[in-house]
Amino acid sequence: NHNFSAGNNKNTIEAHVGVNGEANLDFLNIPLTIPEMTLPYTIITTPPLKDFSLWEKTGLKELLKTTKQSFDLSAKAQYKKNKDQLSITNPLRVFYEFISQNINSFDSRFEKAQDDALDFLTKSYNEAKMKFDKYKVEESHNKLPRTFQIPGYTIPVINIEVSPFTVEMLAFGYVIPKAISTPNFTLPGSDFYVPSYTLVLPSLELPVLRVPRSLLKLSLSDFKELATANNIFIPAMGNITYDFSFKSSVITLNTNAGLYNQSDIVAHLLSSSSSVIDALQYKLEGTSSLTRKRGLKLATGLSLSNKFMEGSHNTIVSLTKKNLEASVTTTAKVQIPILRMNLKQELNGNTKSKPTVSSSIELKYDFNSPQLLSTAQGAVDHKLILESLTSYFSIESSTKGDVKGSVLSREYSGTIASEASTYLNSKGTRSSVKLQGASKVDDIW
């Protein structure tokens, strides 16, 4: 069974999804019987399995408690609109002003280029026509029409007689013929006769070029600046929320998340569960905020709690015109039957008087496994400091660690310590390293 809904109005946009159902797991109570089998292409033989219950033997009975299972899932997302608006300067305003200032001069140049081009084409064509007509008239007066006569002849082998034919040329040249008379002939041994034809070709003349008056009136379209807004308004980001829930006979899960745009931008996350199984119970919470007053400040916090694990993380980054400062802190705690461990890490940096970065890590652990006949207890401490200016660079590091325990009832212990430093400036470099260690194992060293 499921349902879905969505809505949008002037204040919010939201969507909701709901699903619920039931499941019957009685089939897991049916005992299974599997005979002895040999795996194909191998010599491995599996033992027989008789009256095997998946519900009881796999631990599902302790986990689910009952074969009648049901679940209910719900998810909802909502966006709450912000009535505030962000103003952005219209970038096309400068383009409109440039076009408005230069369109008149561009139009006049276009018209002048149009007139010059039409005058050049008309003048060139008229001059060519005048020279052609003059040459035609002069040649016509000085030269009489010419006629070329081709005498008759007989084509060998096939004995076809071709009669004489003539080609009359124009008076002003021999290149272009005026009229052509084709010969007549008769195919031997038949009555097929082809008569003579006369083809008259028109004389070559250039027509009078007439330029349409519409071309003389060709012009660009008028440009009119549109009434545009000086600014573009974009709605500011609103608030986004998300809710999720899942319920069953084994676990109940709830998750809420939100992103809020108010005086500061804040993000929040909360997720938790409750269950008949302690290992599935947890709580996760996180918050992040961005402050824009007197610079930028980003603060983030995250925490997790569970039967076997706890931890937290915090980050702060602050940026102003004169200083940059950041700090990161992480803590973790693990508690399982054979191991207990605590971890703490810190990282700090700032640029107040000089760029400085410092880091420290502390780790403590206690391992105890009766099945392995082994124990171990110890701690590790690491520190790092870095300083820098345009005139020098300095770094210092130190590490300390110790361990104590036993393996197969034989006790052992050990310690280690190291220190290192480096200093660098325009005059030279100075470095030092120190390392110490000790160990002990009963009846060995």
Side-chain angles (χ1 to χ4, degrees), residues 116-130:
D116 293 342
L118 291 176
D119 291 343
F120 174 77
L121 292 176
T122 304
K123 184 178 179 181
S124 300
Y125 182 84
N126 291 334
E127 291 178 355
K129 186 177 185 305
M130 290 175 61

Side-chain angles (χ1 to χ4, degrees), residues 298-405:
L298 176 65
T300 301
L302 186 67
S303 64
L304 171 66
S305 61
N306 179 263
K307 178 180 179 180
F308 303 116
M309 180 183 297
E310 295 180 2
S312 65
H313 174 81
N314 294 281
T315 300
I316 299 176
V317 179
S318 178
L319 176 63
T320 62
K321 295 181 179 180
K322 298 181 179 181
N323 183 38
L324 171 62
E325 187 173 358
S327 65
V328 179
T329 303
T330 303
T331 61
K333 184 178 181 180
V334 178
Q335 292 182 343
I336 58 178
I338 63 173
L339 176 64
R340 293 186 177 184
M341 183 176 65
N342 293 327
L343 172 67
K344 182 178 181 181
Q345 182 265 338
E346 292 184 356
L347 177 64
N348 297 285
N350 64 76
T351 59
K352 290 181 179 179
S353 58
K354 54 185 177 181
T356 303
V357 177
S358 62
S359 172
S360 66
I361 298 176
E362 296 180 5
L363 173 65
K364 296 180 180 180
Y365 59 91
D366 185 352
F367 175 80
N368 189 346
S369 176
Q371 296 179 349
L372 299 177
L373 301 177
S374 300
T375 63
Q377 296 178 349
V380 177
D381 187 0
H382 174 75
K383 290 182 172 58
L384 175 69
I385 300 175
L386 186 147
E387 296 181 359
S388 176
L389 279 177
T390 57
S391 58
Y392 77 94
F393 173 82
S394 174
I395 182 172
E396 297 180 1
S397 174
S398 64
T399 303
K400 297 179 180 179
D402 63 84
V403 61
K404 182 180 180 181

Side-chain angles (χ1 to χ4, degrees), residues 186-212:
T186 302
L187 295 177
S190 66
D191 295 333
F192 185 77
Y193 172 76
V194 179
S196 176
Y197 295 95
T198 301
L199 302 177
V200 180
L201 302 178
S203 59
L204 180 63
E205 293 182 358
L206 292 178
V208 178
L209 180 63
R210 300 183 182 277
V211 180

